[in-house]
Amino acid sequence: MPDKFVTLTPELYEYLVEHGARQDDVLRRLADETEKLGDIAIMQIAPEQGAFMTLLVRAMGARRALELGTFTGYSAICIARGLGENGTLVTCDISGEWTEIARRYFGEAGVADRVDQRLGPALDTLRELPADEPFDFAFVDADKAEYPDYYEECLRLLRPGGLIMLDNVLRGGQVLEGDDDDARTLATREVNDRAIEDERVDVAMLGVADGITLALKR
Ligand code: DHB
Ligand code: MG
């Protein structure tokens, strides 16, 4: 099979971000502050992924969104902006420290009134949500070991035509040659194997950032 993808050099990636993502001052400052947290900053989404999320959520006309894994709030701001003023984003995380940073930036971004922050394991939050108020969009980015369960719960909570975006589906290549004892790698492989065979969804995996899968509920 001839290569149909371009390998991004750092310079080409910089070009892509400059031409593909309009990061405003709030997102830039949030990214800078997150960088100062150290290695953990790797969990923040890439700018071009954020631009894609805002555009996708807006193109869908989504009004209700779900996020598993708030971290410091970059992706939530991108989703909330796509939802517009009358939207609602329920976003969950287990870290009070990270989500306090997120809360501050939701205020700065002017989206605080449309973001409902829940502190606790995402599966607990999901299982408390009633199925009679369905969601249009779900971004899955929390504990990788729980991805198969997140996928099922999100499918339950989405309307037909609703979209799930799974983050980190390539796990930096570990889906191929990772540690077979790592529950996170095994769960990522499991959800990838399930989604591609799943008749309940239309599916597309994209090589954006660390790999994202889009699953559209039929
Ligand atoms: C990790 C988690 C993420 O959600 C991500 O986007 C990158 C890395 C991690 O746990 O290492
Ligand atoms: Mg991620």
Side-chain angles (χ1 to χ4, degrees), residues 28-102:
R28 280 181 205 280
R29 280 189 290 107
L30 170 52
D32 288 346
E33 185 166 342
T34 303
E35 240 5 90
K36 295 194 183 107
L37 296 176
D39 291 345
I40 197 78
I42 188 69
M43 299 209 303
Q44 182 157 263
I45 64 159
E48 72 279 15
Q49 184 176 353
F52 181 49
M53 290 169 80
T54 302
L55 188 148
L56 196 60
V57 167
R58 188 167 293 154
M60 291 179 72
R63 283 285 172 267
R64 283 175 55 77
L66 196 51
E67 178 179 64
L68 319 187
T70 314
F71 191 40
T72 55
Y74 192 108
S75 47
I77 291 172
C78 294
I79 296 167
R81 284 179 168 168
L83 292 172
E85 279 178 18
N86 298 318
T88 303
L89 169 65
V90 176
T91 181
C92 25
D93 203 289
I94 54 170
S95 167
E97 181 196 342
W98 298 336
T99 55
E100 275 312 310
I101 298 173

Side-chain angles (χ1 to χ4, degrees), residues 42-45 49 139-142 144 147 167-168 210:
I42 188 69
M43 299 209 303
Q44 182 157 263
I45 64 159
Q49 184 176 353
F139 180 50
V140 175
D141 195 22
K144 310 310 168 205
Y147 265 38
D167 198 34
N168 307 106
D210 190 25

